[in-house]
Amino acid sequence: MSSDLTPMMRQYLDVKEQHKDAILFFRLGDFYEMFFDDATEAARILHITLTSRGAGKGGKVPMCGLPHHAADNYIARLIRHGRKVAICDQVEEPAPGKKIVKRQVTRIITPGTFIADDLLDESVNNYILSFNADGGNFGLAYADISTGEFRVTELDNREDLFSELYRISPAECLIPESFSKGKGSQQFMDVNLGAITVNDDWLFDYDLSLKEIKNHFLVESLEGFGCQDLPLAVGAAGALLKYLKNTQKSRLNNINVISTYRASQFMTMDRNSYRHLELTRNQEDFSATGTLLEVLDKTRTPMGKRKLKRWISCPLLDTEEIKARLDAVQYFYDSGECRKNVRDLLKEIYDIERLSNKVSLGKANARDMVALSSSLGNIAKLRDSITGEVPSRIRGTVLGMDDFKDVIGWMESCLAPEPPNVLKEGGLIRDGYDPRLDELRYLVTNGKDWVTGLQKREIERTGISSLKIGFNRVFGYYIEVTKAKLDAVPTDYIRKQTLVNAERFITPELKEQESRIIGAEERIKNMEYEIFCRLRDKVGAEIERLKRTADCVAELDVLSDLAEVAVVNRYSRPMVNEGSGLRVIEGRHPVLEKILKDKEFVPNDIRMDAGHSRIFIITGSNMAGKSTYIRQIALITIMAQMGGFVPAKEAEIGVVDRIFTRVGASDRLYRGMSTFMVEMLETANILNNATGRSLIILDEIGRGTSTFDGVSIAWAVVEFIHHRLSGAKAMFATHYHELTELAGVMKGIKNYHLTVQEWGDEIVFLYKVAEGTCDESFGIHVAKLAGMPPGVISRARAILNNLQKDSFTGNIRWRFSEEQKREGKQFDLFEDFSREHPIIGRIREMDVNRLTPLEALGKMAEFKKELSEDGKR
Ligand SMILES: Nc1ncnc2c1ncn2[C@@H]1O[C@H](COP(=O)(O)OP(=O)(O)O)[C@@H](O)[C@H]1O
Ligand SMILES: [Mg+2]
């Protein structure tokens, strides 16, 4: 069959064979063409027309194509569909007589390595992550090739792995084949939102990886990077490097250091905390709208934006480090003038982090270089704008910045001030930079002047006043004479082309000048391109300095940003210490206070400690402000530990090692599991991983099941935190009033409620937190607000009164006393569910929708009777 194919098709199939998992863009002239299944798929995703092309005797094959200059947009769309694209270019000029030009894959673009900068969101890193597992131990390596960041770590716990995955949110994740087939992989896939690329296991092999890393970074050992004792991380890093080199077809000079980190350096937040606290992404569309990031982000540079995002998702644990950041923020907070100057200058600085990485990867064009040069030109000014007594963190940052006088000099003397986008059409290099180039340019200008002069001379010689000299790409220079004057044309003119009203001629001397001009123009273009590439390589070799300075600029951006936001939003500096207290005076929810339009945000205090006020049970009706209150405490803690000011009048915060959040929010089904199951799994995770320094936020847990179960579980969970997680602080928002009884039984528990005022039939939410419980049940109020018939409301009140008085609480007490006898071993939420009261089983089987109110009451009476008999037995 293959002998029946055209040579081009054969070449195509050879290349395609090597790149089965990617859509192959095959360069034909000015187009990229796709064939076979690639064509069908791409046509569908890209909405382009599917045609066909003769492939030889075998007949026609499906084909679609797109203009090469528009490729980036189409690639972006395919990448967003989780596909890879292999770019196969012509790697030699087509020459006459040659049957087929040589073609080669020059780049493979994958979701994690896509760096077309106009299509890349500048505020987020585009990470690619490589994952390696051995039993319950995990190695991670991740990189952003547009910034040269490369980090590794190891984790020994699944939950930490998942929260790390969620925090990094890689666009693409490399996993070993054996892992992809193992049973732990499904959960991994569920957490990981990016594309998955399965790689052969041997790529993650330690010895091979070690060799790869040593070769790449030109080091003898990994000690300098601090990952010498992390074999799984090394395996992951080696696999990642190999994959990047293979797809980029580049030496990746911009990746020149490995940063090893440990999850224990940062506050750990479980996945749910990231989600529910809406730190950097909201829960609706995963954008930054309505998040803490949005409130805090008034940064002036893209690299500052990215750094701010990292700070939010990695709050610190070390009080000294936190204080150093706070001091730095304070400096900009106190000096409005300096803050303004710095922020004005930052506005003039482009994304030097990504620009210099592009330069180093050989992907920058002349405009990028000019932007880099002009940005670097502001660094010295930025340094000088920081005056007076500066805190150590800022001093270090200022010292870390290079003014790049040399590099700017190279670029300014060489590059034309406004070069074009394309690199091979000339116009890149300044006059006076290279004498050879100047000479060629002189030749061209001179030649063109000669041609202009020729027109005048020929008009005089022939007497044809309308004679014109023109130029087009096909014929080059010509002399044009209108039909009416053809008689006057001299004999040495050579006819070249006939138009409707005119004839075009050439002369030997005109052609001679022409080839001189065109030859010189060609040479100019080549020479300019060469000079440009040399300059780019030279600047690219300075990547280490450039990256360091970019990082310092980002740092100043974030610090001055946090100060600016603190001033504008009236934040204050928190005291952060190693104690276990948490005291916030007039704290606010940073996001909600900005969103509320027609009402003022009501601030609230909190005073928690390791003694009598460790666990708060917070009650209040629906919409009273419970969730807001407990979330704002978590957010204030995070903001303080990232080194920023907080939305409160005063705050004193003992460092928290982990924040856990469990929100029994929506009742939607969740990957096939019932909400309740998910809720229980997540709660179990909290109880098994929290420490005595953790902050636990539980919002309405136990809601996804019957009241009996719900209250029981909630009660047991609180009890567990109280007994086993000594020191941990917890806030528990609930509408189960029964839980308020816990405060009477255990000394670390306090009751709080959100106050409400009744105005006749109305209830007004005051959003003020007060000690104690609220005795009214506002669920019924809400029912009233919703327009339920008065009869139902009053009947509900009566039933409620009954329930509250006797059997309900009595029954619960019975269960809790049983529970309290159990001691020791890890907490397992499921261990006791087999022992439920038979009545619960019957309630479960009841179809409430089919019961008349009367039948329901009858049932209720029946249950009550049985239960009271039960109690007597
Ligand atoms: N401190 C506050 N100040 C002003 N409005 C608030 C405050 N807390 C909550 N609210 C308003 O009440 C609404 C419901 O709050 P939420 O915390 O979700 O109540 P709950 O969890 O008790 O049902 C919020 O969306 C907000 O509009
Ligand atoms: Mg709520």
Side-chain angles (χ1 to χ4, degrees):
M1 149 95 187
S2 81
S3 60
D4 293 343
L5 292 171
T6 62
M8 197 277 295
M9 258 306 144
R10 228 174 299 145
Q11 187 187 38
Y12 173 85
L13 288 173
D14 283 347
V15 179
K16 179 67 200 173
E17 179 66 23
Q18 309 294 315
H19 299 281
K20 287 192 182 123
D21 61 342
I23 291 192
L24 185 65
F25 276 32
F26 195 72
R27 181 76 177 259
L28 287 180
D30 284 340
F31 280 78
Y32 283 120
E33 306 285 4
M34 286 149 276
F35 300 105
F36 301 102
D37 291 348
D38 282 0
T40 344
E41 186 178 0
R44 182 169 45 76
I45 297 175
L46 302 175
H47 307 294
I48 53 180
T49 317
L50 187 66
T51 57
S52 61
R53 181 187 176 106
K57 282 183 210 149
K60 294 193 158 192
V61 301
M63 174 181 99
C64 64
L66 42 93
H68 79 99
H69 58 80
D72 273 352
N73 274 308
Y74 291 105
I75 294 171
R77 221 179 299 162
L78 290 170
I79 296 288
R80 277 198 291 276
H81 273 76
R83 295 305 319 256
K84 295 180 192 171
V85 177
I87 306 287
C88 182
D89 274 317
Q90 295 171 189
V91 291
E92 62 182 8
E93 289 299 318
K98 235 180 152 178
K99 281 237 174 62
I100 186 155
V101 296
K102 208 167 140 203
R103 290 186 178 82
Q104 229 171 40
V105 169
T106 51
R107 226 159 23 123
I108 302 164
I109 301 152
T110 72
T113 62
F114 184 58
I115 55 170
D117 45 7
D118 43 334
L119 298 170
L120 202 60
D121 182 350
E122 62 171 23
S123 66
V124 297
N125 281 104
N126 198 43
Y127 287 126
I128 175 162
L129 178 138
S130 164
F131 168 80
N132 195 11
D134 183 8
N137 292 316
F138 312 102
L140 298 184
Y142 64 95
D144 179 340
I145 58 170
S146 70
T147 64
E149 187 181 341
F150 196 97
R151 295 179 195 271
V152 300
T153 194
E154 278 191 11
L155 303 161
D156 57 8
N157 163 329
R158 284 190 92 76
E159 278 309 316
D160 287 354
L161 167 68
F162 293 149
S163 57
E164 201 48 14
L165 260 184
Y166 199 82
R167 186 180 67 77
I168 300 166
S169 301
E172 183 178 0
C173 189
L174 312 180
I175 59 175
E177 190 178 1
S178 56
F179 177 77
S180 73
K181 291 180 175 149
K183 68 177 174 17
S185 66
Q186 191 50 48
Q187 212 182 347
F188 183 92
M189 309 284 184
D190 286 345
V191 176
N192 176 61
L193 302 169
I196 294 274
T197 298
V198 178
N199 269 342
D200 291 344
D201 284 8
W202 63 265
L203 281 161
F204 297 82
D205 175 75
Y206 175 78
D207 291 325
L208 275 177
S209 291
L210 186 63
K211 217 161 116 199
E212 177 81 30
I213 294 171
K214 284 183 180 170
N215 278 340
H216 177 84
F217 294 98
L218 302 173
V219 291
E220 282 303 315
S221 98
L222 301 182
E223 306 233 339
F225 299 139
C227 55
Q228 68 278 12
D229 300 324
L230 306 177
L232 288 173
V234 168
L240 180 55
L241 270 180
K242 266 184 288 243
Y243 182 77
L244 289 177
K245 285 187 179 164
N246 184 35
T247 52
Q248 299 306 296
K249 315 278 178 207
S250 145
R251 292 205 314 278
L252 295 175
N253 292 335
N254 64 328
I255 294 181
N256 50 14
V257 58
I258 297 183
S259 318
T260 305
Y261 70 101
R262 287 171 209 270
S264 58
Q265 284 172 271
F266 307 111
M267 179 202 282
T268 310
M269 286 179 265
D270 65 335
R271 266 177 294 152
N272 295 306
S273 297
Y274 280 111
R275 264 209 299 262
H276 298 309
L277 297 175
E278 306 197 302
L279 297 178
T280 59
R281 287 186 291 189
N282 67 31
Q283 295 199 65
E284 280 97 60
D285 61 1
F286 303 110
S287 75
T289 313
T291 63
L292 181 63
L293 176 65
E294 187 185 48
V295 172
L296 294 185
D297 185 10
K298 300 274 177 288
T299 54
R300 290 291 164 92
T301 69
M303 53 224 160
K305 249 184 228 306
R306 296 190 295 266
K307 197 184 218 15
L308 175 66
K309 199 170 160 188
R310 281 200 296 277
W311 283 23
I312 293 176
S313 46
C314 301
L316 303 171
L317 297 180
D318 183 276
T319 48
E320 289 309 312
E321 231 181 305
I322 297 170
K323 279 191 192 126
R325 281 191 190 171
L326 284 169
D327 285 343
V329 174
Q330 177 97 48
Y331 167 82
F332 285 117
Y333 182 89
D334 292 340
S335 169
E337 193 186 323
C338 174
R339 184 173 74 243
K340 182 176 181 310
N341 290 341
V342 165
R343 288 171 54 76
D344 284 350
L345 280 165
L346 286 168
K347 238 193 313 195
E348 307 300 317
I349 297 180
Y350 294 99
D351 196 342
I352 47 181
E353 189 178 36
R354 277 193 170 147
L355 284 172
S356 44
N357 277 283
K358 251 177 118 178
V359 172
S360 150
L361 286 170
K363 291 189 167 138
N365 62 27
R367 285 192 189 167
D368 294 330
M369 300 279 281
V370 170
L372 178 62
S373 172
S374 82
S375 299
L376 292 179
N378 286 307
I379 303 278
K381 282 184 251 167
L382 185 63
R383 244 174 21 183
D384 295 344
S385 70
I386 291 173
T387 52
E389 183 100 15
V390 295
S392 65
R393 176 117 196 174
I394 295 183
R395 197 171 334 117
T397 308
V398 170
L399 289 177
M401 288 195 293
D402 200 313
D403 60 16
F404 290 103
K405 289 240 152 57
D406 49 349
V407 179
I408 298 169
W410 305 338
M411 293 197 273
E412 281 192 343
S413 61
C414 176
L415 293 170
E418 285 176 20
N421 250 331
V422 287
L423 289 180
K424 295 195 171 165
E425 295 293 319
L428 310 175
I429 309 297
R430 243 178 220 283
D431 282 336
Y433 179 72
D434 186 319
R436 292 168 310 153
L437 186 63
D438 291 345
E439 202 180 308
L440 286 171
R441 283 185 176 155
Y442 178 76
L443 259 176
V444 172
T445 336
N446 234 1
K448 287 188 174 161
D449 286 351
W450 182 90
V451 172
T452 329
L454 182 69
Q455 179 169 315
K456 220 166 119 211
R457 289 195 299 277
E458 289 302 298
I459 289 174
E460 273 167 22
R461 176 160 81 103
T462 59
I464 309 173
S465 60
S466 61
L467 178 145
K468 264 195 307 218
I469 297 197
F471 178 84
N472 74 27
R473 282 188 167 271
V474 185
F475 298 115
Y477 288 101
Y478 54 80
I479 302 169
E480 189 173 295
V481 178
T482 53
K483 288 248 160 89
K485 301 283 182 187
L486 280 181
D487 295 348
V489 166
T491 50
D492 57 335
Y493 279 19
I494 303 162
R495 177 168 315 181
K496 198 72 198 170
Q497 192 189 10
T498 306
L499 305 179
V500 183
N501 301 320
E503 297 271 323
R504 286 176 177 174
F505 304 89
I506 53 169
T507 67
E509 82 184 318
L510 182 60
K511 281 293 123 176
E512 198 180 307
Q513 279 297 339
E514 177 189 297
S515 64
R516 222 176 274 156
I517 294 170
I518 290 175
E521 277 178 338
E522 273 313 304
R523 266 161 50 220
I524 288 171
K525 287 177 190 167
N526 290 338
M527 195 181 283
E528 290 204 41
Y529 182 66
E530 271 165 34
I531 295 173
F532 175 79
C533 289
R534 266 205 309 278
L535 173 73
R536 190 169 62 186
D537 288 348
K538 192 169 167 191
V539 175
E542 303 300 317
I543 182 71
E544 257 184 81
R545 276 160 84 195
L546 288 163
K547 268 165 76 174
R548 196 166 354 105
T549 295
D551 189 55
C552 292
V553 172
E555 173 106 6
L556 287 182
D557 194 7
V558 176
L559 292 169
S560 57
D561 165 79
L562 290 176
E564 174 78 15
V565 172
V567 172
V568 173
N569 294 345
R570 297 173 297 109
Y571 293 170
S572 55
R573 177 175 177 155
M575 281 187 288
V576 178
N577 57 42
E578 272 156 20
S580 52
L582 173 61
R583 192 175 61 86
V584 177
I585 309 297
E586 297 189 15
R588 285 126 45 205
H589 190 295
V591 181
L592 196 63
E593 74 164 338
K594 300 239 102 172
I595 296 173
L596 288 184
K597 293 230 165 58
D598 43 359
K599 55 181 176 183
E600 283 282 302
F601 190 88
V602 180
N604 274 303
D605 303 346
I606 191 164
R607 287 183 185 80
M608 291 185 116
D609 57 45
H612 291 290
S613 298
R614 211 155 67 66
I615 300 175
F616 283 18
I617 307 286
I618 298 156
T619 44
S621 86
N622 271 330
M623 297 300 285
K626 302 182 295 298
S627 302
T628 306
Y629 179 61
I630 60 179
R631 282 178 213 199
Q632 100 192 14
I633 301 302
L635 289 170
I636 288 174
T637 306
I638 289 168
M639 290 166 84
Q641 288 187 222
M642 69 178 269
F645 285 23
V646 297
K649 195 165 153 222
E650 268 177 51
E652 190 182 336
I653 287 162
V655 165
V656 162
D657 68 345
R658 287 162 179 257
I659 287 188
F660 291 95
T661 314
R662 171 59 226 161
V663 175
S666 56
D667 291 352
R668 75 196 137 99
L669 287 182
Y670 191 79
R671 281 183 221 122
M673 285 189 271
S674 76
T675 329
F676 181 61
M677 182 66 178
V678 173
E679 193 174 323
M680 289 301 102
L681 283 171
E682 290 177 359
T683 310
N685 158 45
I686 295 179
L687 301 181
N688 288 327
N689 290 297
T691 76
R693 298 199 64 88
S694 303
L695 177 63
I696 303 170
I697 305 285
L698 299 168
D699 197 345
E700 310 264 16
I701 71 159
R703 206 185 203 178
T705 183
S706 72
T707 308
F708 282 129
D709 276 352
V711 177
S712 313
I713 289 164
W715 183 291
V717 166
V718 175
E719 209 172 67
F720 182 91
I721 295 171
H722 187 267
H723 293 341
R724 310 274 172 77
L725 296 174
S726 151
K729 287 169 288 220
M731 314 240 289
F732 198 142
T734 182
H735 62 278
Y736 292 140
H737 277 264
E738 296 75 21
L739 293 183
T740 58
E741 299 197 13
L742 276 158
V745 195
M746 280 168 250
K747 67 174 180 6
I749 301 181
K750 279 235 159 80
N751 287 327
Y752 283 86
H753 67 282
L754 279 126
T755 48
V756 178
Q757 204 157 46
E758 284 184 82
W759 277 97
D761 269 3
E762 304 276 303
I763 45 172
V764 179
F765 297 121
L766 301 178
Y767 307 116
K768 205 68 192 166
V769 175
E771 242 194 288
T773 57
C774 55
D775 32 31
E776 268 292 334
S777 180
F778 294 101
I780 293 176
H781 269 287
V782 175
K784 195 161 78 183
L785 284 181
M788 287 251 211
V792 175
I793 301 287
S794 59
R795 185 65 191 138
R797 264 189 219 287
I799 296 173
L800 181 79
N801 272 337
N802 259 341
L803 286 174
Q804 277 172 340
K805 251 184 250 137
D806 38 82
S807 53
F808 190 66
T809 5
N811 184 271
I812 285 166
R813 285 247 169 84
W814 162 74
R815 295 184 133 244
F816 297 150
S817 59
E818 284 297 294
E819 191 62 45
Q820 260 175 319
K821 285 182 207 145
R822 311 176 61 85
E823 284 290 304
K825 73 181 172 145
Q826 263 220 334
F827 189 81
D828 180 352
L829 276 168
F830 302 104
E831 66 188 9
D832 251 333
F833 278 105
S834 52
R835 287 197 312 127
E836 69 179 20
H837 197 282
I839 286 186
I840 294 180
R842 281 159 59 196
I843 296 176
R844 248 190 248 290
E845 280 158 24
M846 276 164 47
D847 184 353
V848 183
N849 296 326
R850 297 226 178 134
L851 286 180
T852 66
L854 213 61
E855 282 168 341
L857 277 175
K859 281 275 173 211
M860 191 64 90
E862 190 182 316
F863 291 158
K864 241 185 96 171
K865 190 157 156 261
E866 280 181 41
L867 280 174
S868 56
E869 278 164 13
D870 220 65
K872 277 180 215 141
R873 249 183 271 145

